[in-house]
């Protein structure tokens, strides 16, 4: 179900509680699909955990700081699994610098990897996921009617969706940015994937996934929709996205998928043993904090608000077990360092965390 306490976790965009709801409420075909996905995801996770390599974030930062200022390339490779449950796919269909193929999933994956790379390089001078130019690989057309997309620590993998509830998983740019950001978090703070640190891990991916989309579209914080996975749901679903950073808990309310369970305030924090302690659920709280800070600061959210969150992720005080309150303190400290104690930025960050009940 795309969850692990291993440092190199398998991170899936579709929360396990949505698949569980489909298994309960869907048609026979949808129930079979959901159960299939629920069985596939832990298998991938176990394989990934057994082959995970070392975390190299500290070394990466030192190398980056050492100073290669040449504009880097994302070094993309897209593979096609051909509907088989294999990752990486066996057929290379597009490499860095090659033109569009006409396969929409291939080309969306290629463009999404590039847009994510550009955000981190142009806004934060980070050279790929590991900051030393890690090639960006992806596999499309994974399995049959597979309802998910995931980062496995080495590559992105996309299912084509079932066509009834979910469209192809390359359709949402913020999904691609979200999943690749899990790789950045692994290389930096290594936030443990359970309870509040896990929800913070998910939130940081939503933050930068949204910023990838906003930057590509040239949207200011006030213009953005602050939705994660817009376009992923088909017209048959009563909903607009997987999550709303602006209004957690309002993204969908559907007879099959159920109701979006995300809280937006600590008063409604969900205590559960499911979903690794609610990592996809409680992420709504820090998500809303970022939305509030970014809109209060104004302008392009990837500039000042995004810089504060990115710097906080790299800060040595953000550790594997950092909770919401701990990360809030780090973001406030970073805002003070970057903009001053009495700055509008520091005030916006502190007020955002206060509004959601974290401080």
């Amino acid at each position: 179900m795309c969850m692990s306490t291993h440092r190199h976790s398998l991170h899936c965009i579709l929360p396990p509680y949505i698949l569980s709801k489909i298994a309960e409420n869907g048609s026979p075909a949808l129930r079979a699909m959901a159960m299939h996905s629920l069985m596939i995801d832990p298998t991938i996770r176990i394989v990934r955990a057994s082959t995970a390599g070392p975390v190299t974030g500290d070394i990466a930062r030192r190398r980056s700081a050492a100073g290669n200022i040449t504009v880097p390339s994302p070094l993309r490779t897209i593979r096609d699994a051909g509907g088989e449950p294999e990752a990486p796919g066996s057929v290379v269909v597009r490499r860095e610098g090659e033109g569009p193929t006409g396969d929409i999933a291939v080309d969306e994956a290629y463009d999404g990897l590039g847009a994510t790379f550009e955000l981190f390089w142009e806004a934060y001078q980070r050279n790929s996921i590991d900051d030393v130019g890690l090639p960006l690989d992806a596999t499309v057309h994974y399995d049959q009617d597979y309802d998910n997309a995931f980062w496995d620590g080495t590559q992105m993998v996309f299912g084509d969706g079932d066509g009834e509830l979910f469209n192809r998983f390359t359709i949402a740019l913020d999904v691609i940015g979200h999943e690749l950001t899990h790789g950045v978090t692994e290389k930096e703070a290594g936030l443990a994937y359970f309870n509040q640190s896990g929800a913070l891990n998910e939130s940081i991916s939503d933050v930068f996934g949204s910023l990838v989309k906003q930057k590509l579209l040239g949207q200011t914080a006030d213009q953005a929709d602050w939705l994660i996975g817009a376009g992923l749901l088909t017209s048959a679903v009563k909903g607009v996205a997987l999550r709303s950073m602006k209004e957690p808990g309002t993204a969908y309310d559907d007879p099959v998928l159920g109701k979006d369970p995300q809280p937006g305030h600590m008063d409604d924090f969900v205590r559960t043993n499911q979903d690794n302690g609610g990592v996809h659920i409680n992420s709504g709280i820090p998500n809303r904090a970022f939305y509030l800070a970014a809109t209060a600061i104004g302008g392009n959210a990837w500039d000042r608000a995004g810089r504060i969150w990115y710097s906080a992720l790299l800060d040595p005080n953000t550790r594997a077990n950092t909770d919401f309150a701990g990360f809030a303190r780090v973001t406030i400290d970073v805002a003070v360092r970057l903009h001053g104690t009495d700055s509008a930025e520091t005030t916006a960050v502190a007020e955002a965390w206060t509004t959601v009940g974290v401080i």
Side-chain angles (χ1 to χ4, degrees):
M1 287 174 282
C2 293
M3 57 187 181
S4 171
T5 57
H6 192 280
R7 188 129 181 210
H8 289 266
S9 303
L10 175 74
H11 298 281
C12 293
I13 192 64
L14 198 64
Y17 54 76
I18 289 183
L19 289 170
S20 295
K21 285 292 186 182
I22 297 171
E24 293 174 11
N25 303 324
S27 65
L30 288 172
R31 289 200 300 269
M33 173 280 301
M35 291 303 299
H36 180 60
S37 293
L38 287 168
M39 288 186 293
I40 283 178
D41 296 343
T43 302
I44 302 168
R45 182 181 73 249
I46 291 168
V47 172
R48 175 62 201 137
S50 68
T51 59
V55 176
T56 58
D58 291 338
I59 296 173
R61 286 197 299 276
R62 289 196 296 271
R63 290 177 179 173
S64 180
N68 180 3
I69 61 173
T70 302
V71 176
S73 166
L75 300 176
R76 292 161 284 187
T77 301
I78 313 298
R79 293 177 171 84
D80 188 345
E84 297 296 324
E86 60 178 22
S90 58
V91 179
V92 175
V93 287
R94 190 172 178 185
R95 297 183 187 274
E96 183 63 34
E98 295 178 350
T101 65
D103 183 321
I104 192 167
V106 170
D107 296 333
E108 285 174 340
Y110 183 90
D111 292 342
L113 295 179
T116 304
F117 183 93
E118 287 176 7
L119 171 80
F120 280 104
W121 173 252
E122 294 177 3
Y124 314 119
Q125 297 74 57
R126 184 182 187 88
N127 185 1
S128 193
I129 300 305
D130 60 354
D131 203 17
V132 286
L134 179 74
L136 297 182
D137 296 341
T139 292
V140 299
H141 303 310
Y142 177 83
D143 204 14
Q144 298 289 327
D145 300 327
Y146 181 60
D147 279 339
N148 232 324
F150 59 86
W151 163 260
D152 73 352
T154 62
Q155 65 168 333
M156 280 292 307
V157 179
F158 300 95
D160 289 325
D162 58 77
E164 185 172 344
L165 298 176
F166 296 99
N167 294 309
R168 63 190 181 277
F169 278 74
T170 55
I171 199 170
L173 175 59
D174 47 16
V175 165
I176 300 175
H178 170 107
E179 292 301 325
L180 291 176
T181 300
H182 278 305
V184 176
T185 299
E186 278 185 355
K187 298 298 183 183
E188 300 300 343
L191 289 163
Y193 203 60
F194 56 90
N195 297 339
Q196 286 195 24
S197 60
L200 187 59
N201 191 318
E202 279 296 321
S203 175
I204 288 170
S205 277
D206 277 353
V207 164
F208 290 100
S210 182
L211 295 184
V212 168
K213 181 171 72 172
Q214 291 177 38
K215 187 173 186 300
L216 183 69
L217 296 177
Q219 295 175 332
T220 63
D222 289 337
Q223 294 169 334
D225 63 14
W226 295 100
L227 297 174
I228 302 298
L232 192 56
L233 305 179
T234 70
S235 59
V237 177
K238 294 181 178 179
V240 293
L242 296 179
R243 291 182 289 280
S244 169
M245 299 180 68
K246 179 179 180 179
E247 298 179 288
T250 67
Y252 60 88
D253 190 354
D254 181 77
V256 178
L257 270 61
K259 186 180 186 309
D260 179 358
Q262 281 206 313
H265 192 279
M266 286 298 292
D267 286 349
D268 303 311
F269 185 89
V270 177
R271 301 188 183 281
T272 176
N273 292 324
Q274 303 299 312
D275 187 33
N276 274 28
V279 297
H280 290 92
I281 297 174
N282 292 312
S283 59
I285 296 170
N287 273 1
R288 185 162 182 256
F290 182 80
Y291 158 78
L292 291 170
T295 51
I297 292 170
N300 297 324
W302 62 86
D303 286 336
R304 289 172 289 169
R307 168 64 70 178
I308 291 168
W309 253 245
Y310 178 73
S311 298
L313 180 62
L314 271 60
D315 193 285
N317 289 313
T318 302
R319 302 180 178 91
N321 63 347
T322 294
D323 60 9
F324 293 173
F327 191 71
R329 288 191 295 271
V330 175
T331 58
I332 294 169
D333 289 345
V334 168
V336 169
R337 290 201 303 269
L338 294 178
H339 302 286
T341 302
D342 298 323
S343 65
E345 292 83 358
T346 299
T347 299
V349 172
E351 288 183 350
W353 288 112
T354 300
T355 299
V356 301
V358 170
I359 59 173

